[in-house]
Amino acid sequence: MQISKGWRGIARVFLPFAAGYYLSYLFRTINALIASHLSSDTRLGSADLGLLTSVYFLVFAAAQIPVGILLDRFGPRRVQSVLLLLAAAGAGLFAVSTGFLSLLLARAMIGLGVAAALTAGLKSIILWFPRERVALLNGYMIMLGSLGAVTATAPVEYLLAWMGWRQLFEILAVATGATAILIYVVVPERGAVPSTARATLGSVFGDRRFWRIAPLSATCVGSAWSLQGLWASPWLTDVEGLDRASLVRQLFIMSIVLSGGAWLFGMAVHCIKRRGIGAETILATSAVLFMGAELALILRASLPSILPWSVVAIVGTATVVSFAVIADYFPPELAGRANGALNVLHFGWAFLAQYATGLILEQWSANDGHRSVQAYQVAFGVNLALQIAALVWFSLPWGQYLASRIRPTPFFVPANVFDVVESVSSYENSVVLIPADDDAEW
């Protein structure tokens, strides 16, 4: 009976929301493959193409806080189904648009429509599944959703061979609308989590632990999304000199690695938390590897380019780790707000990185439609410098803590010495655990 109920939860809750996140990831990354088609059909330059693609992230980021509040108040089922209908309308408008402004509006509608795709799925996992399975299921959710990035490579290239990108977006509009209806009809309702006095947005933004990890997570994850979602394709064409077939093959490999990275992060977090180790360790390690990969690209290290680009792809799924950290910091009734607050920074940084990269590239003249290596090195280097600053900020409290341990201990210890590394007990004591309800009505 327990196994049967578990599988009903997977079929009626997990998979419908995973389908919504799959479409979100497909919309996020598809412009990397159709960029040349958009440029030729609508005469877009690098800056316009960067803005058109990145407005998805801007609107997505702006919607995260309201979406988080709505998820906590009305539940993921109703919020996700309504917003996906808006995404379907945006995809339909994108398919028939001929000018830059209408394309920009359509892309913004898509971004708003899928703004709850990930956070609604994470909220549903928290509401319907045991707490000890949350990190693992988060990994599976992002793994299945990132298959949208896989679809946005070779499969879409095959479709474009016998249909235009406009017809492709018509199909996506129908699929998105059907997913919205599926979620509304299939997913059961769940009673609201009882709120506590701490269940306010100020509890999230007022927590110093949040502001310690948020800059590092945002600059790394957001930059990874920016690169894979758009600028990997021009880099591989202009710098590496790949032809169209080789480009599609490398993007396909990156998307496969992306999907596997989500599963890997989910399993890693699940295992280390069972051993009492914080997920912050994995976040810092993945950030260092990401910066190393970017440095290898900038310095043109004598490595197969697929190696650093695969690291970039993997870090795009490090949200599994970030949200696992957030789940430890805040109680379940704050899950929507806390995840939404972090996603504001993820997608806000992705917008800034994607658009700013286009602006920097525009400062160098194109030769036969290709930008110089130096242009990309400067653009990527600016991103890398900001990520290093975020890593230093993340590591500073631990450095101060270690320094205080090394120094001779004074006879009287000031009360604020150990405030450097905050205890998570304040929130753990207020957590409202939601067990898997054996009597839940499906």
Side-chain angles (χ1 to χ4, degrees):
M1 180 66 73
Q2 289 286 10
I3 294 176
S4 177
K5 288 183 177 181
W7 281 110
R8 283 206 297 268
I10 295 295
R12 298 193 61 186
V13 177
F14 181 83
L15 291 179
F17 284 105
Y21 187 49
Y22 164 85
L23 290 169
S24 171
Y25 230 116
L26 178 57
F27 282 124
R28 183 193 308 174
T29 55
I30 196 171
N31 275 16
L33 195 68
I34 66 172
S36 59
H37 299 277
L38 287 172
S39 297
S40 60
D41 290 354
T42 58
R43 301 180 183 276
L44 298 180
S46 295
D48 288 339
L49 185 60
L51 178 59
L52 175 62
T53 304
S54 63
V55 74
Y56 169 102
F57 294 116
L58 177 63
V59 176
F60 202 115
Q64 289 305 298
I65 297 299
V67 162
I69 295 173
L70 291 173
L71 287 172
D72 287 337
R73 182 172 182 180
F74 298 106
R77 168 180 168 265
R78 285 178 281 182
V79 174
Q80 176 73 317
S81 57
V82 170
L83 287 178
L84 281 181
L85 290 177
L86 179 62
L93 177 60
F94 199 91
V96 299
S97 295
T98 56
F100 174 70
L101 289 180
S102 58
L103 286 169
L104 192 68
L105 175 61
R107 181 75 174 168
M109 289 174 62
I110 293 172
L112 179 59
V114 298
L118 176 58
T119 50
L122 300 180
K123 178 76 175 182
S124 68
I125 291 172
I126 290 174
L127 290 178
W128 285 102
F129 296 95
R131 182 179 177 84
E132 63 271 13
R133 295 290 182 180
V134 167
L136 186 61
L137 288 172
N138 285 352
Y140 284 125
M141 172 73 70
I142 295 179
M143 180 191 72
L144 293 177
S146 62
L147 291 177
V150 178
T151 306
T153 55
V156 167
E157 180 72 2
Y158 290 133
L159 289 175
L160 290 175
W162 59 277
M163 72 169 61
W165 62 269
R166 296 184 185 278
Q167 290 73 29
L168 176 62
F169 269 83
E170 290 174 356
I171 294 174
L172 290 176
V174 173
T176 306
T179 303
I181 296 172
L182 174 70
I183 290 175
Y184 188 81
V185 172
V186 171
V187 176
E189 281 291 346
R190 180 73 166 181
V193 180
S195 62
T196 69
R198 290 174 179 257
T200 64
L201 193 58
S203 301
V204 178
F205 287 121
D207 195 300
R208 285 188 295 175
R209 296 165 303 168
F210 176 84
W211 290 112
R212 185 167 67 88
I213 72 158
L216 182 63
S217 182
T219 54
C220 291
V221 172
S223 293
W225 290 348
S226 168
L227 293 174
Q228 182 157 10
L230 180 60
W231 296 118
S233 178
W235 169 282
L236 293 170
T237 302
D238 296 346
V239 178
E240 303 293 338
L242 299 186
D243 57 22
R244 181 70 179 181
S246 300
L247 170 65
V248 173
R249 182 167 57 252
Q250 182 138 328
L251 292 176
F252 179 74
I253 295 172
M254 288 172 60
S255 60
I256 292 292
V257 171
L258 173 75
S259 181
W263 174 82
L264 180 64
F265 277 133
M267 290 296 296
V269 172
H270 180 67
C271 291
I272 70 166
K273 290 184 72 174
R274 293 178 63 183
R275 290 167 172 77
I277 304 174
E280 293 92 340
T281 304
I282 298 180
L283 179 62
T285 303
S286 61
V288 171
L289 291 174
F290 179 59
M291 295 174 201
E294 289 179 297
L295 187 62
L297 291 172
I298 293 169
L299 299 180
R300 305 296 312 282
S302 56
L303 297 169
S305 64
I306 189 60
L307 295 180
W309 280 112
S310 293
V311 175
V312 170
I314 289 175
V315 173
T317 62
T319 48
V320 176
V321 184
S322 302
F323 290 128
V325 175
I326 290 297
D328 287 339
Y329 287 173
F330 301 103
E333 62 266 31
L334 268 175
R337 292 172 174 85
N339 290 336
L342 186 58
N343 249 3
V344 166
L345 301 179
H346 284 157
F347 284 92
W349 187 262
F351 164 76
L352 291 174
Q354 203 164 72
Y355 184 40
T357 298
L359 290 177
I360 293 173
L361 293 177
E362 285 284 321
Q363 306 309 307
W364 279 261
S365 58
N367 183 16
D368 293 332
H370 300 288
R371 303 287 174 183
S372 68
V373 176
Q374 184 183 10
Y376 287 100
Q377 288 174 325
V378 172
F380 286 21
V382 171
N383 257 324
L384 177 59
L386 293 170
Q387 291 156 17
I388 292 174
L391 179 62
V392 171
W393 173 258
F394 173 85
S395 305
L396 187 60
W398 295 105
Q400 293 174 342
Y401 175 71
L402 291 175
S404 69
R405 296 294 298 270
I406 294 173
R407 289 197 302 266
T409 305
F411 186 76
F412 294 103
V413 181
N416 62 349
V417 165
F418 298 105
D419 288 344
V420 174
V421 182
E422 273 191 271
S423 170
V424 301
S425 61
S426 59
Y427 277 106
E428 287 179 344
N429 292 336
S430 64
V431 166
V432 180
L433 297 180
I434 308 175
D437 191 352
D438 293 342
D439 297 325
E441 292 295 332
W442 289 94

